Amino acid sequence: MANPLILGKKFLYIAYGKGDTYEERFKPATKKMDSLLIKKNIPGLRWQVNSLDNESHGTTATEGIFKGLIALNRQFTLPYEQFGVLINDTTKPFIESVKEYYRSLSNRAGIQLPLVNDINGMGYNCFYSNKKAEAIKVFEWALSLFTDDYNLYDSMGEMQQSTGNKKEALYYYSKGRAVVEQQKSKLPAKTYQGLVKGFKNRIQSVNTSK
């Protein structure tokens, strides 16, 4: 019997292909495995069983690994469809719903979520959905989690600038540039120079705007 302590907080991706008789032989066993996992209902274990679109047994591993990694990534993120539900829910502040969602996800995954790129993307999704106030809340949360990420300061500066809040925009752009300076020794020279120039241009754009 499988040890639930070993399988808890794990994600299992199982796939079978098509296109030749050899691959068809795996189909019954794969479906049986799915049935057994449903029956066992091991706490914390998540899995997905897929039929691939490949043309032969020889390409099953290539497609299966690729699609398995995509499926795994979806376990760590907020799907865009779910984002749409939460951002349009008027009964609860969006940021509170998102925090609650990721608390649950972190507990299941066994790691702290969201990842920095995911939360940055979520902020821009709010912005492009014309939810600027929600975007700012997301970036406030992001910066409380990732205090040394210069890209988040740049993003927050852009959000503040887009709302006409020049003082806050200057603060975040300046803070982002300061973080870059702190990380100078860890950055390639070209990267460092490009970041410094980028923040200078951001600050100048605020100072010269009406």
Side-chain angles (χ1 to χ4, degrees):
M1 180 178 176
N3 186 341
L5 295 178
I6 295 175
L7 294 177
K9 296 185 178 180
K10 297 293 190 299
F11 175 70
L12 179 62
Y13 183 82
I14 309 172
Y16 59 91
K18 63 181 180 180
D20 57 32
T21 54
Y22 187 70
E23 192 62 33
E24 284 294 320
R25 291 165 55 188
F26 290 91
K27 184 175 179 178
T30 305
K31 290 195 170 185
K32 184 176 181 181
M33 182 64 178
D34 186 32
S35 298
L36 287 172
L37 289 171
I38 293 172
K39 183 178 179 181
K40 290 294 183 182
N41 192 27
I42 299 171
L45 175 65
R46 287 156 293 134
W47 71 92
Q48 184 176 327
V49 176
N50 268 355
S51 171
L52 303 177
D53 299 320
N54 59 326
E55 297 177 352
S56 69
H57 175 70
T59 59
T60 296
T62 304
E63 184 180 341
I65 291 171
F66 173 71
K67 289 189 173 179
L69 290 172
I70 292 175
L72 176 62
N73 180 68
R74 287 174 178 162
Q75 302 297 313
F76 299 150
T77 60
L78 176 67
Y80 191 74
E81 296 79 9
Q82 183 67 15
F83 165 83
V85 172
L86 298 183
I87 198 70
N88 292 309
D89 183 2
T90 59
T91 65
K92 190 174 184 180
F94 173 74
I95 190 63
E96 295 305 319
S97 296
V98 168
K99 287 180 179 180
E100 185 178 301
Y101 177 88
Y102 274 107
R103 274 196 299 269
S104 175
L105 207 59
S106 297
N107 289 334
R108 293 204 312 268
I111 60 174
Q112 182 61 51
L113 297 169
L115 303 177
V116 63
N117 288 337
D118 292 328
I119 198 169
N120 188 67
M122 178 167 42
Y124 277 99
N125 282 338
C126 291
F127 177 74
Y128 294 135
S129 299
N130 201 30
K131 302 282 188 177
K132 294 183 179 180
E134 286 79 0
I136 288 173
K137 288 292 183 182
V138 168
F139 284 114
E140 286 176 350
W141 180 43
L143 287 167
S144 73
L145 299 175
F146 305 99
T147 57
D148 61 349
D149 191 278
Y150 49 77
N151 186 52
L152 288 176
Y153 287 102
D154 179 68
S155 297
M156 180 60 132
E158 185 180 352
M159 295 301 112
Q160 297 289 353
Q161 188 175 3
S162 73
T163 61
N165 196 334
K166 296 175 65 173
K167 181 180 178 180
E168 290 297 308
L170 286 171
Y171 168 80
Y172 285 106
Y173 287 146
S174 299
K175 181 67 176 177
R177 181 179 172 181
V179 171
V180 170
E181 295 290 352
Q182 292 168 6
Q183 298 179 15
K184 181 179 180 179
S185 61
K186 301 177 183 178
L187 296 169
K190 270 192 171 182
T191 301
Y192 166 76
Q193 292 165 7
L195 289 169
V196 170
K197 182 179 180 181
F199 277 110
K200 282 183 177 178
N201 289 339
R202 292 286 205 189
I203 291 169
Q204 184 179 12
S205 73
V206 176
N207 287 328
T208 57
S209 64
K210 294 182 180 180

mmCIF file of all heavy atoms in Angstrom, residues 165-201:
data_model
loop_
_atom_site.group_PDB
_atom_site.id
_atom_site.type_symbol
_atom_site.label_atom_id
_atom_site.label_comp_id
_atom_site.label_asym_id
_atom_site.label_seq_id
_atom_site.Cartn_x
_atom_site.Cartn_y
_atom_site.Cartn_z
ATOM 1 N N ASN A 165 -0.427 59.457 -10.293
ATOM 2 C CA ASN A 165 0.174 59.670 -8.978
ATOM 3 C C ASN A 165 1.693 59.786 -9.136
ATOM 4 O O ASN A 165 2.440 58.817 -8.957
ATOM 5 C CB ASN A 165 -0.180 58.522 -8.036
ATOM 6 C CG ASN A 165 0.088 58.869 -6.584
ATOM 7 O OD1 ASN A 165 0.934 59.709 -6.282
ATOM 8 N ND2 ASN A 165 -0.630 58.205 -5.687
ATOM 9 N N LYS A 166 2.172 60.974 -9.478
ATOM 10 C CA LYS A 166 3.577 61.185 -9.799
ATOM 11 C C LYS A 166 4.487 60.952 -8.593
ATOM 12 O O LYS A 166 5.576 60.389 -8.729
ATOM 13 C CB LYS A 166 3.776 62.604 -10.342
ATOM 14 C CG LYS A 166 3.058 62.856 -11.663
ATOM 15 C CD LYS A 166 3.176 64.301 -12.108
ATOM 16 C CE LYS A 166 4.590 64.693 -12.427
ATOM 17 N NZ LYS A 166 4.664 66.053 -13.019
ATOM 18 N N LYS A 167 4.059 61.378 -7.424
ATOM 19 C CA LYS A 167 4.880 61.229 -6.226
ATOM 20 C C LYS A 167 5.159 59.763 -5.926
ATOM 21 O O LYS A 167 6.308 59.380 -5.663
ATOM 22 C CB LYS A 167 4.176 61.886 -5.033
ATOM 23 C CG LYS A 167 4.975 61.812 -3.738
ATOM 24 C CD LYS A 167 4.231 62.492 -2.592
ATOM 25 C CE LYS A 167 5.024 62.373 -1.291
ATOM 26 N NZ LYS A 167 4.296 63.027 -0.161
ATOM 27 N N GLU A 168 4.117 58.950 -5.982
ATOM 28 C CA GLU A 168 4.289 57.520 -5.715
ATOM 29 C C GLU A 168 5.090 56.843 -6.820
ATOM 30 O O GLU A 168 5.912 55.954 -6.568
ATOM 31 C CB GLU A 168 2.928 56.839 -5.563
ATOM 32 C CG GLU A 168 2.187 57.216 -4.293
ATOM 33 C CD GLU A 168 2.940 56.772 -3.044
ATOM 34 O OE1 GLU A 168 3.308 55.586 -2.959
ATOM 35 O OE2 GLU A 168 3.183 57.627 -2.168
ATOM 36 N N ALA A 169 4.847 57.271 -8.062
ATOM 37 C CA ALA A 169 5.593 56.694 -9.186
ATOM 38 C C ALA A 169 7.086 56.957 -9.022
ATOM 39 O O ALA A 169 7.916 56.050 -9.200
ATOM 40 C CB ALA A 169 5.095 57.276 -10.504
ATOM 41 N N LEU A 170 7.447 58.186 -8.663
ATOM 42 C CA LEU A 170 8.853 58.520 -8.450
ATOM 43 C C LEU A 170 9.452 57.715 -7.307
ATOM 44 O O LEU A 170 10.609 57.280 -7.380
ATOM 45 C CB LEU A 170 8.998 60.021 -8.170
ATOM 46 C CG LEU A 170 8.830 60.941 -9.370
ATOM 47 C CD1 LEU A 170 8.783 62.398 -8.924
ATOM 48 C CD2 LEU A 170 9.956 60.729 -10.375
ATOM 49 N N TYR A 171 8.662 57.526 -6.277
ATOM 50 C CA TYR A 171 9.153 56.747 -5.126
ATOM 51 C C TYR A 171 9.511 55.326 -5.554
ATOM 52 O O TYR A 171 10.599 54.826 -5.237
ATOM 53 C CB TYR A 171 8.100 56.709 -4.023
ATOM 54 C CG TYR A 171 8.437 55.699 -2.942
ATOM 55 C CD1 TYR A 171 9.356 56.008 -1.944
ATOM 56 C CD2 TYR A 171 7.851 54.428 -2.937
ATOM 57 C CE1 TYR A 171 9.693 55.081 -0.970
ATOM 58 C CE2 TYR A 171 8.177 53.497 -1.963
ATOM 59 C CZ TYR A 171 9.098 53.826 -0.984
ATOM 60 O OH TYR A 171 9.439 52.907 -0.034
ATOM 61 N N TYR A 172 8.612 54.671 -6.283
ATOM 62 C CA TYR A 172 8.853 53.276 -6.647
ATOM 63 C C TYR A 172 9.939 53.132 -7.708
ATOM 64 O O TYR A 172 10.736 52.189 -7.650
ATOM 65 C CB TYR A 172 7.549 52.618 -7.096
ATOM 66 C CG TYR A 172 6.636 52.317 -5.931
ATOM 67 C CD1 TYR A 172 5.493 53.078 -5.695
ATOM 68 C CD2 TYR A 172 6.931 51.282 -5.045
ATOM 69 C CE1 TYR A 172 4.678 52.818 -4.615
ATOM 70 C CE2 TYR A 172 6.113 51.020 -3.949
ATOM 71 C CZ TYR A 172 4.995 51.792 -3.742
ATOM 72 O OH TYR A 172 4.192 51.532 -2.653
ATOM 73 N N TYR A 173 10.007 54.055 -8.648
ATOM 74 C CA TYR A 173 11.087 54.008 -9.632
ATOM 75 C C TYR A 173 12.441 54.216 -8.936
ATOM 76 O O TYR A 173 13.428 53.531 -9.243
ATOM 77 C CB TYR A 173 10.892 55.063 -10.712
ATOM 78 C CG TYR A 173 9.780 54.765 -11.690
ATOM 79 C CD1 TYR A 173 9.011 55.801 -12.244
ATOM 80 C CD2 TYR A 173 9.511 53.457 -12.106
ATOM 81 C CE1 TYR A 173 8.003 55.539 -13.161
ATOM 82 C CE2 TYR A 173 8.499 53.187 -13.016
ATOM 83 C CZ TYR A 173 7.747 54.230 -13.532
ATOM 84 O OH TYR A 173 6.739 53.961 -14.444
ATOM 85 N N SER A 174 12.479 55.161 -8.016
ATOM 86 C CA SER A 174 13.720 55.433 -7.290
ATOM 87 C C SER A 174 14.113 54.250 -6.415
ATOM 88 O O SER A 174 15.292 53.894 -6.313
ATOM 89 C CB SER A 174 13.571 56.696 -6.430
ATOM 90 O OG SER A 174 13.297 57.825 -7.235
ATOM 91 N N LYS A 175 13.122 53.639 -5.799
ATOM 92 C CA LYS A 175 13.380 52.472 -4.970
ATOM 93 C C LYS A 175 13.906 51.317 -5.824
ATOM 94 O O LYS A 175 14.834 50.609 -5.434
ATOM 95 C CB LYS A 175 12.090 52.057 -4.261
ATOM 96 C CG LYS A 175 12.239 50.860 -3.332
ATOM 97 C CD LYS A 175 13.114 51.154 -2.133
ATOM 98 C CE LYS A 175 13.150 49.959 -1.186
ATOM 99 N NZ LYS A 175 14.047 50.193 -0.042
ATOM 100 N N GLY A 176 13.316 51.138 -6.997
ATOM 101 C CA GLY A 176 13.770 50.086 -7.901
ATOM 102 C C GLY A 176 15.204 50.303 -8.330
ATOM 103 O O GLY A 176 16.011 49.359 -8.374
ATOM 104 N N ARG A 177 15.558 51.554 -8.634
ATOM 105 C CA ARG A 177 16.942 51.868 -9.018
ATOM 106 C C ARG A 177 17.891 51.591 -7.858
ATOM 107 O O ARG A 177 18.996 51.059 -8.061
ATOM 108 C CB ARG A 177 17.039 53.324 -9.444
ATOM 109 C CG ARG A 177 18.442 53.719 -9.869
ATOM 110 C CD ARG A 177 18.524 55.159 -10.313
ATOM 111 N NE ARG A 177 19.903 55.556 -10.532
ATOM 112 C CZ ARG A 177 20.290 56.763 -10.904
ATOM 113 N NH1 ARG A 177 19.371 57.705 -11.113
ATOM 114 N NH2 ARG A 177 21.562 57.051 -11.070
ATOM 115 N N ALA A 178 17.458 51.904 -6.637
ATOM 116 C CA ALA A 178 18.294 51.651 -5.458
ATOM 117 C C ALA A 178 18.527 50.151 -5.264
ATOM 118 O O ALA A 178 19.636 49.734 -4.902
ATOM 119 C CB ALA A 178 17.637 52.249 -4.211
ATOM 120 N N VAL A 179 17.511 49.352 -5.527
ATOM 121 C CA VAL A 179 17.652 47.897 -5.413
ATOM 122 C C VAL A 179 18.648 47.382 -6.449
ATOM 123 O O VAL A 179 19.470 46.503 -6.154
ATOM 124 C CB VAL A 179 16.283 47.201 -5.575
ATOM 125 C CG1 VAL A 179 16.462 45.688 -5.690
ATOM 126 C CG2 VAL A 179 15.373 47.534 -4.395
ATOM 127 N N VAL A 180 18.592 47.940 -7.651
ATOM 128 C CA VAL A 180 19.552 47.567 -8.696
ATOM 129 C C VAL A 180 20.973 47.897 -8.236
ATOM 130 O O VAL A 180 21.906 47.087 -8.412
ATOM 131 C CB VAL A 180 19.234 48.286 -10.026
ATOM 132 C CG1 VAL A 180 20.371 48.075 -11.029
ATOM 133 C CG2 VAL A 180 17.926 47.772 -10.605
ATOM 134 N N GLU A 181 21.154 49.061 -7.649
ATOM 135 C CA GLU A 181 22.481 49.464 -7.163
ATOM 136 C C GLU A 181 22.978 48.485 -6.098
ATOM 137 O O GLU A 181 24.158 48.128 -6.068
ATOM 138 C CB GLU A 181 22.430 50.888 -6.586
ATOM 139 C CG GLU A 181 22.113 51.974 -7.600
ATOM 140 C CD GLU A 181 23.252 52.214 -8.588
ATOM 141 O OE1 GLU A 181 24.340 51.640 -8.401
ATOM 142 O OE2 GLU A 181 23.036 52.973 -9.554
ATOM 143 N N GLN A 182 22.075 48.051 -5.235
ATOM 144 C CA GLN A 182 22.446 47.099 -4.184
ATOM 145 C C GLN A 182 22.877 45.754 -4.763
ATOM 146 O O GLN A 182 23.693 45.045 -4.175
ATOM 147 C CB GLN A 182 21.271 46.895 -3.223
ATOM 148 C CG GLN A 182 20.929 48.116 -2.382
ATOM 149 C CD GLN A 182 19.594 47.969 -1.665
ATOM 150 O OE1 GLN A 182 18.958 46.910 -1.698
ATOM 151 N NE2 GLN A 182 19.154 49.032 -1.012
ATOM 152 N N GLN A 183 22.328 45.416 -5.922
ATOM 153 C CA GLN A 183 22.612 44.122 -6.529
ATOM 154 C C GLN A 183 23.656 44.205 -7.648
ATOM 155 O O GLN A 183 23.857 43.243 -8.396
ATOM 156 C CB GLN A 183 21.309 43.526 -7.077
ATOM 157 C CG GLN A 183 20.271 43.258 -6.006
ATOM 158 C CD GLN A 183 18.973 42.700 -6.566
ATOM 159 O OE1 GLN A 183 18.912 42.247 -7.706
ATOM 160 N NE2 GLN A 183 17.917 42.725 -5.765
ATOM 161 N N LYS A 184 24.340 45.338 -7.756
ATOM 162 C CA LYS A 184 25.290 45.573 -8.845
ATOM 163 C C LYS A 184 26.329 44.468 -8.956
ATOM 164 O O LYS A 184 26.645 43.997 -10.062
ATOM 165 C CB LYS A 184 25.978 46.916 -8.639
ATOM 166 C CG LYS A 184 26.975 47.262 -9.741
ATOM 167 C CD LYS A 184 27.612 48.632 -9.509
ATOM 168 C CE LYS A 184 28.614 48.959 -10.620
ATOM 169 N NZ LYS A 184 29.231 50.304 -10.408
ATOM 170 N N SER A 185 26.867 44.027 -7.835
ATOM 171 C CA SER A 185 27.935 43.025 -7.859
ATOM 172 C C SER A 185 27.457 41.667 -8.356
ATOM 173 O O SER A 185 28.260 40.836 -8.790
ATOM 174 C CB SER A 185 28.541 42.865 -6.464
ATOM 175 O OG SER A 185 27.558 42.416 -5.538
ATOM 176 N N LYS A 186 26.137 41.434 -8.320
ATOM 177 C CA LYS A 186 25.583 40.144 -8.741
ATOM 178 C C LYS A 186 25.094 40.156 -10.189
ATOM 179 O O LYS A 186 24.754 39.111 -10.735
ATOM 180 C CB LYS A 186 24.410 39.767 -7.828
ATOM 181 C CG LYS A 186 24.771 39.660 -6.358
ATOM 182 C CD LYS A 186 23.537 39.344 -5.530
ATOM 183 C CE LYS A 186 23.876 39.302 -4.048
ATOM 184 N NZ LYS A 186 22.654 39.037 -3.221
ATOM 185 N N LEU A 187 25.053 41.342 -10.784
ATOM 186 C CA LEU A 187 24.485 41.475 -12.120
ATOM 187 C C LEU A 187 25.588 41.596 -13.176
ATOM 188 O O LEU A 187 26.616 42.244 -12.922
ATOM 189 C CB LEU A 187 23.591 42.717 -12.196
ATOM 190 C CG LEU A 187 22.338 42.722 -11.319
ATOM 191 C CD1 LEU A 187 21.720 44.115 -11.300
ATOM 192 C CD2 LEU A 187 21.330 41.699 -11.829
ATOM 193 N N PRO A 188 25.375 41.022 -14.372
ATOM 194 C CA PRO A 188 26.293 41.261 -15.480
ATOM 195 C C PRO A 188 26.324 42.756 -15.788
ATOM 196 O O PRO A 188 25.313 43.456 -15.633
ATOM 197 C CB PRO A 188 25.678 40.469 -16.636
ATOM 198 C CG PRO A 188 24.808 39.439 -15.983
ATOM 199 C CD PRO A 188 24.290 40.086 -14.735
ATOM 200 N N ALA A 189 27.469 43.254 -16.219
ATOM 201 C CA ALA A 189 27.645 44.693 -16.439
ATOM 202 C C ALA A 189 26.599 45.265 -17.387
ATOM 203 O O ALA A 189 26.022 46.330 -17.131
ATOM 204 C CB ALA A 189 29.046 44.964 -16.983
ATOM 205 N N LYS A 190 26.323 44.548 -18.489
ATOM 206 C CA LYS A 190 25.346 45.045 -19.460
ATOM 207 C C LYS A 190 23.945 45.100 -18.859
ATOM 208 O O LYS A 190 23.178 46.040 -19.110
ATOM 209 C CB LYS A 190 25.347 44.160 -20.708
ATOM 210 C CG LYS A 190 26.316 44.596 -21.778
ATOM 211 C CD LYS A 190 26.046 43.867 -23.091
ATOM 212 C CE LYS A 190 26.877 44.476 -24.199
ATOM 213 N NZ LYS A 190 26.603 43.824 -25.506
ATOM 214 N N THR A 191 23.607 44.080 -18.098
ATOM 215 C CA THR A 191 22.290 44.046 -17.448
ATOM 216 C C THR A 191 22.155 45.205 -16.472
ATOM 217 O O THR A 191 21.135 45.908 -16.453
ATOM 218 C CB THR A 191 22.086 42.716 -16.710
ATOM 219 O OG1 THR A 191 22.190 41.640 -17.639
ATOM 220 C CG2 THR A 191 20.719 42.669 -16.036
ATOM 221 N N TYR A 192 23.176 45.399 -15.667
ATOM 222 C CA TYR A 192 23.166 46.497 -14.689
ATOM 223 C C TYR A 192 22.998 47.844 -15.383
ATOM 224 O O TYR A 192 22.157 48.661 -14.991
ATOM 225 C CB TYR A 192 24.459 46.469 -13.872
ATOM 226 C CG TYR A 192 24.692 47.727 -13.077
ATOM 227 C CD1 TYR A 192 23.990 47.976 -11.901
ATOM 228 C CD2 TYR A 192 25.615 48.688 -13.515
ATOM 229 C CE1 TYR A 192 24.187 49.140 -11.181
ATOM 230 C CE2 TYR A 192 25.817 49.853 -12.800
ATOM 231 C CZ TYR A 192 25.102 50.073 -11.636
ATOM 232 O OH TYR A 192 25.295 51.238 -10.921
ATOM 233 N N GLN A 193 23.785 48.083 -16.411
ATOM 234 C CA GLN A 193 23.719 49.356 -17.125
ATOM 235 C C GLN A 193 22.351 49.577 -17.772
ATOM 236 O O GLN A 193 21.808 50.685 -17.752
ATOM 237 C CB GLN A 193 24.812 49.407 -18.192
ATOM 238 C CG GLN A 193 26.217 49.466 -17.622
ATOM 239 C CD GLN A 193 27.301 49.169 -18.639
ATOM 240 O OE1 GLN A 193 27.020 49.033 -19.834
ATOM 241 N NE2 GLN A 193 28.543 49.052 -18.180
ATOM 242 N N GLY A 194 21.796 48.504 -18.331
ATOM 243 C CA GLY A 194 20.475 48.613 -18.943
ATOM 244 C C GLY A 194 19.394 48.922 -17.935
ATOM 245 O O GLY A 194 18.485 49.722 -18.207
ATOM 246 N N LEU A 195 19.485 48.312 -16.757
ATOM 247 C CA LEU A 195 18.491 48.562 -15.714
ATOM 248 C C LEU A 195 18.578 49.983 -15.180
ATOM 249 O O LEU A 195 17.564 50.653 -14.990
ATOM 250 C CB LEU A 195 18.672 47.552 -14.571
ATOM 251 C CG LEU A 195 18.270 46.109 -14.877
ATOM 252 C CD1 LEU A 195 18.743 45.175 -13.783
ATOM 253 C CD2 LEU A 195 16.759 45.999 -15.047
ATOM 254 N N VAL A 196 19.808 50.440 -14.939
ATOM 255 C CA VAL A 196 19.988 51.809 -14.450
ATOM 256 C C VAL A 196 19.441 52.811 -15.459
ATOM 257 O O VAL A 196 18.731 53.762 -15.104
ATOM 258 C CB VAL A 196 21.478 52.092 -14.155
ATOM 259 C CG1 VAL A 196 21.696 53.585 -13.897
ATOM 260 C CG2 VAL A 196 21.940 51.283 -12.954
ATOM 261 N N LYS A 197 19.771 52.608 -16.732
ATOM 262 C CA LYS A 197 19.264 53.495 -17.783
ATOM 263 C C LYS A 197 17.746 53.462 -17.844
ATOM 264 O O LYS A 197 17.090 54.498 -17.995
ATOM 265 C CB LYS A 197 19.860 53.080 -19.131
ATOM 266 C CG LYS A 197 19.425 53.980 -20.281
ATOM 267 C CD LYS A 197 20.059 53.546 -21.595
ATOM 268 C CE LYS A 197 19.617 54.445 -22.746
ATOM 269 N NZ LYS A 197 20.218 54.019 -24.042
ATOM 270 N N GLY A 198 17.172 52.260 -17.704
ATOM 271 C CA GLY A 198 15.719 52.123 -17.751
ATOM 272 C C GLY A 198 15.038 52.894 -16.638
ATOM 273 O O GLY A 198 14.040 53.599 -16.871
ATOM 274 N N PHE A 199 15.564 52.790 -15.420
ATOM 275 C CA PHE A 199 14.957 53.516 -14.300
ATOM 276 C C PHE A 199 15.166 55.027 -14.443
ATOM 277 O O PHE A 199 14.284 55.817 -14.072
ATOM 278 C CB PHE A 199 15.518 53.010 -12.968
ATOM 279 C CG PHE A 199 14.829 51.770 -12.473
ATOM 280 C CD1 PHE A 199 15.485 50.549 -12.461
ATOM 281 C CD2 PHE A 199 13.516 51.821 -12.030
ATOM 282 C CE1 PHE A 199 14.848 49.398 -12.009
ATOM 283 C CE2 PHE A 199 12.862 50.676 -11.573
ATOM 284 C CZ PHE A 199 13.537 49.459 -11.564
ATOM 285 N N LYS A 200 16.313 55.439 -14.968
ATOM 286 C CA LYS A 200 16.533 56.870 -15.208
ATOM 287 C C LYS A 200 15.498 57.417 -16.186
ATOM 288 O O LYS A 200 14.947 58.507 -15.995
ATOM 289 C CB LYS A 200 17.943 57.091 -15.747
ATOM 290 C CG LYS A 200 19.043 57.041 -14.705
ATOM 291 C CD LYS A 200 20.395 57.349 -15.334
ATOM 292 C CE LYS A 200 21.497 57.375 -14.299
ATOM 293 N NZ LYS A 200 22.835 57.635 -14.901
ATOM 294 N N ASN A 201 15.251 56.646 -17.236
ATOM 295 C CA ASN A 201 14.261 57.074 -18.233
ATOM 296 C C ASN A 201 12.860 57.120 -17.633
ATOM 297 O O ASN A 201 12.060 58.009 -17.963
ATOM 298 C CB ASN A 201 14.285 56.119 -19.424
ATOM 299 C CG ASN A 201 15.538 56.255 -20.266
ATOM 300 O OD1 ASN A 201 16.218 57.281 -20.219
ATOM 301 N ND2 ASN A 201 15.866 55.226 -21.035
#
